[in-house]
Amino acid sequence: HYDGPLDMPIELIYPFDDLPDGSTIIDIGGGNGQNVIRLVKSHPQLVAIVQDHVSVISNAENMVKESYGEEIVGRITWEAHDYYAQQPRKGADIYLLSHVLMDNNDE
């Protein structure tokens, strides 16, 4: 994703329209949920789970609940997760790692 122009949103890189109804996206290290908010707004067949540190998740979840209607809020779940630990969610259709990989080098 970040090998190209930084202003290109992920929804222009991957064909999310092709995913069937009920497809699940897990955004690991998803922060405030900016990627999944855009995705669920423009792709009504998707649901999303945002995983990040406890402090990030509680603030982000409250912010999103105050800013968006139930149509969006009801399709996003928030989970505290340490991405160095084993992934508790198996079988998702998409695992987004955009900021996790960028922020952590091989060392």
Side-chain angles (χ1 to χ4, degrees):
H1 177 225
Y2 287 106
D3 285 341
L6 290 179
D7 57 350
M8 183 181 292
I10 195 158
E11 54 270 27
L12 297 179
I13 298 168
Y14 186 84
F16 291 96
D17 286 331
D18 295 344
L19 293 171
D21 285 350
S23 292
T24 300
I25 297 173
I26 298 180
D27 191 357
I28 302 166
N32 292 330
Q34 58 274 18
N35 283 328
V36 296
I37 290 168
R38 282 195 331 273
L39 290 171
V40 300
K41 282 173 74 174
S42 59
H43 303 282
Q45 83 278 21
L46 302 178
V47 295
I49 299 167
V50 179
Q51 295 178 333
D52 213 310
H53 298 284
V54 172
S55 61
V56 173
I57 289 298
S58 59
N59 291 333
E61 183 176 19
N62 291 332
M63 180 193 71
V64 169
K65 283 181 179 178
E66 292 172 4
S67 301
Y68 296 93
E70 184 58 35
E71 177 184 329
I72 300 301
V73 173
R75 293 174 35 224
I76 300 173
T77 303
W78 303 85
E79 280 185 355
H81 175 61
D82 176 357
Y83 56 75
Y84 289 110
Q86 185 173 9
Q87 175 56 247
R89 298 284 184 149
K90 310 292 186 208
D93 299 284
I94 302 279
Y95 291 88
L96 282 179
L97 301 163
S98 63
H99 294 291
V100 172
L101 297 178
M102 181 181 77
D103 292 343
N104 293 278
N105 61 30
D106 288 343
E107 296 171 8

